[in-house]
């Protein structure tokens, strides 16, 4: 990572977190009011794992890795708090997710994203573009 301050951040695979702190981060990133979401139950039930980034115990970044129980893992909810962006934290979160999914035996890591995040996912995190589809249910 590029500067001294970003080296003070600790990254934990399946790190402990509270639903309240994750919902706070999610609400800030996606511009909604914090809701009463049981994130910890959801993560333990449906995820291969997740990565927490903490500075001085404060949750400053998160990414969730869902999976099919076999070779496909899916990146969801990559978030870095506004004060820590553009310092490589998001890229490192994805690198840890990628490494842990590979260790778990996954062969593919999928992500979908809006066009403006192409530089982040394709250039910085190493994804290659592919066709994908989506239906709103
Ligand atoms: C997307 C996000 C996680 C990136 O986190 P980050 O820590 O700032 O990312 P990095 O510092 O590792 O970025 C690496 C590179 O990706 C690109 N990039 C990062 N965020 C970007 C953004 N929001 N828009 C366009 N390019 C971006 C830049 O090229 C950046 O390199 P630079 O700092 O030299 O310009 C963060 O902006 C975020 O939380 N956004 C709100 C939530 C969101 O939209 N998540 C994605 C869900 S699909």
């Amino acid at each position: 990572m590029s500067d001294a301050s970003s080296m003070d951040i600790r990254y934990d695979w399946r790190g402990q977190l509270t639903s309240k702190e994750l919902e706070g981060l999610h609400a800030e990133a996606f511009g909604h009011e914090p809701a009463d979401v049981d994130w910890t139950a959801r993560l333990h039930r449906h995820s291969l794992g997740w990565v927490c980034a903490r500075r001085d115990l404060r949750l400053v970044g998160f990414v969730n890795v869902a999976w099919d129980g076999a070779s496909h893992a899916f990146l969801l909810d990559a978030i870095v708090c506004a004060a820590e962006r553009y310092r490589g934290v998001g890229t490192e979160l994805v690198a840890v997710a990628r490494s842990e999914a590979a260790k778990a035996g996954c062969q593919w890591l999928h992500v979908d994203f809006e066009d403006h995040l192409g530089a982040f996912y394709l250039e910085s995190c190493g994804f290659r573009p592919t066709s994908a589809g989506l239906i709103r249910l």
Side-chain angles (χ1 to χ4, degrees):
M1 282 180 285
S2 53
D3 60 31
S5 66
S6 59
M7 292 173 67
D8 297 334
I9 293 180
R10 175 188 169 129
Y11 297 86
D12 287 311
W13 175 245
R14 296 183 69 93
Q16 285 199 343
L17 81 176
T18 66
S19 296
K20 191 174 175 190
E21 63 183 344
L22 179 51
E23 179 62 9
L25 200 65
H26 194 280
E28 181 208 62
F30 295 106
H32 61 82
E33 287 300 313
D36 188 15
V37 179
D38 191 348
W39 278 104
T40 54
R42 189 187 290 183
L43 293 172
H44 282 94
R45 191 173 307 133
H46 298 292
S47 294
L48 172 65
W50 56 92
V51 187
C52 296
R54 289 189 184 274
R55 179 191 290 283
D56 300 330
L57 302 182
R58 193 168 74 88
L59 188 70
V60 298
F62 170 85
V63 69
N64 188 11
V65 184
W67 72 322
D68 69 346
S71 60
H72 294 270
F74 303 84
L75 214 60
L76 297 166
D77 288 325
I79 302 170
V80 174
C81 72
E84 299 282 358
R85 287 183 195 163
Y86 293 102
R87 294 177 180 177
V89 178
T91 301
E92 186 62 21
L93 282 166
V94 174
V96 174
R98 174 182 176 170
S99 162
E100 294 293 339
K103 275 194 229 165
C106 294
Q107 292 178 321
W108 297 101
L109 183 60
H110 304 248
V111 70
D112 65 86
F113 51 85
E114 293 178 8
D115 286 346
H116 73 277
L117 289 174
F120 174 65
Y121 284 109
L122 303 179
E123 291 167 28
S124 197
C125 297
F127 286 87
R128 65 175 166 82
T130 184
S131 299
L134 188 65
I135 297 175
R136 185 180 189 103
L137 302 175

